[in-house]
Amino acid sequence: MEDFNNMPFIIRELNRLNQMQVVCGVLNIPTGKDEDYLEMIAMVNENGADIVPKRTKYLTIPTPNAGKHKASDFDGLFFYITKSGKKSLAMKDGDSIKVMFLLSTHVKIPKRPFFRSSFDNKVNTDWADAINGDVDKIMACQMTAKELYQHLGRLMVNEVQAQISTMTNPGNADITKANKGKDDPLKDTGTLYRSIGYEVISNAKKL
């Protein structure tokens, strides 16, 4: 009789599994950060990108001398060919010349598919096992459909963040490593890492 009485709960929650889904992505936007910018950073790293100048002849790539400044922040910059033959913008520093920006007509950002890798690594193993175990819990009236998706969402976030932390190939370009002081292509300041979250949605609305 007890099992029979539990059937309405079980049927309702199993039906709800088909009415919900969980999405994982750039959803936890840190205070003061721009959502569109973070989504762009995530997609550029996920899919790669070819960057070309739009209104000028060259892209200006800051060296450690320039820090986080733009070329327009400096007076006295002039065109200079470095000893290695690279085009740059430089400025006088006493009797020496300080290279501030490297010039390039094209920058290629390689693919670092941290979302896709997470899915490929886990969808048919750990995540599938977790779903099967949680469906058993629904059948035992120990879990709801929403709780199942919340559990899956946490697993997804953990795996995506792990990929962000550990993915080092392809590495940063030499100038990027010089600016950052490390070869940490995805984590860097940790903003992208912290932005990864999940939502359980139904009919395109957050539950």
Side-chain angles (χ1 to χ4, degrees):
M1 180 65 68
E2 182 179 351
D3 290 342
F4 181 80
N5 290 337
N6 289 336
M7 287 306 297
F9 172 89
I10 294 170
I11 292 171
R12 183 184 71 240
E13 295 305 318
L14 291 178
N15 285 333
R16 284 181 174 176
L17 288 177
N18 295 321
Q19 299 166 2
M20 300 178 186
Q21 60 180 311
V22 60
V23 295
C24 177
V26 180
L27 299 173
N28 291 335
I29 309 302
T31 302
K33 300 298 181 180
D34 182 80
E35 181 176 359
D36 290 339
Y37 176 75
L38 279 174
E39 288 178 350
M40 180 272 292
I41 293 296
M43 289 302 97
V44 163
N45 277 289
E46 180 74 17
N47 300 312
D50 292 305
I51 302 174
V52 296
K54 292 183 178 180
R55 292 183 292 272
T56 59
K57 185 176 180 180
Y58 295 107
L59 298 167
T60 54
I61 304 169
T63 70
N65 292 329
K68 296 185 178 181
H69 292 285
K70 300 178 293 185
S72 58
D73 294 335
F74 297 94
D75 294 324
L77 291 175
F78 56 87
F79 184 79
Y80 177 72
I81 302 294
T82 68
K83 292 180 180 179
S84 60
K86 294 180 180 179
K87 297 175 181 178
S88 72
L89 293 177
M91 62 188 306
K92 285 283 189 179
D93 184 24
D95 294 330
S96 63
I97 292 176
K98 182 185 293 185
V99 174
M100 305 299 289
F101 298 89
L102 296 179
L103 301 177
S104 178
T105 58
H106 173 260
V107 170
K108 183 176 181 61
I109 299 176
K111 293 181 181 180
R112 299 183 178 99
F114 57 98
F115 281 119
R116 194 174 305 115
S117 296
S118 299
F119 184 86
D120 291 345
N121 289 344
K122 298 294 184 178
V123 66
N124 292 319
T125 56
D126 294 11
W127 296 350
D129 291 343
I131 291 171
N132 289 334
D134 287 350
V135 168
D136 288 342
K137 291 181 180 179
I138 289 176
M139 299 298 293
C141 299
Q142 297 171 354
M143 177 175 278
T144 65
K146 184 177 179 180
E147 288 171 339
L148 179 150
Y149 282 118
Q150 288 172 332
H151 181 207
L152 179 58
R154 290 191 295 271
L155 294 176
M156 294 168 73
V157 168
N158 289 341
E159 179 60 22
V160 172
Q161 289 181 330
Q163 289 293 319
I164 290 174
S165 293
T166 60
M167 186 174 288
T168 57
N169 186 31
N172 286 130
D174 290 341
I175 184 63
T176 305
K177 286 187 283 188
N179 282 326
K180 293 168 63 173
K182 56 186 177 181
D183 188 11
D184 194 355
L186 291 174
K187 196 166 183 182
D188 195 12
T189 63
T191 301
L192 179 61
Y193 177 95
R194 293 191 299 273
S195 75
I196 303 301
Y198 77 89
E199 290 182 357
V200 178
I201 59 175
S202 175
N203 298 324
K205 294 181 180 180
K206 184 177 179 181
L207 295 174

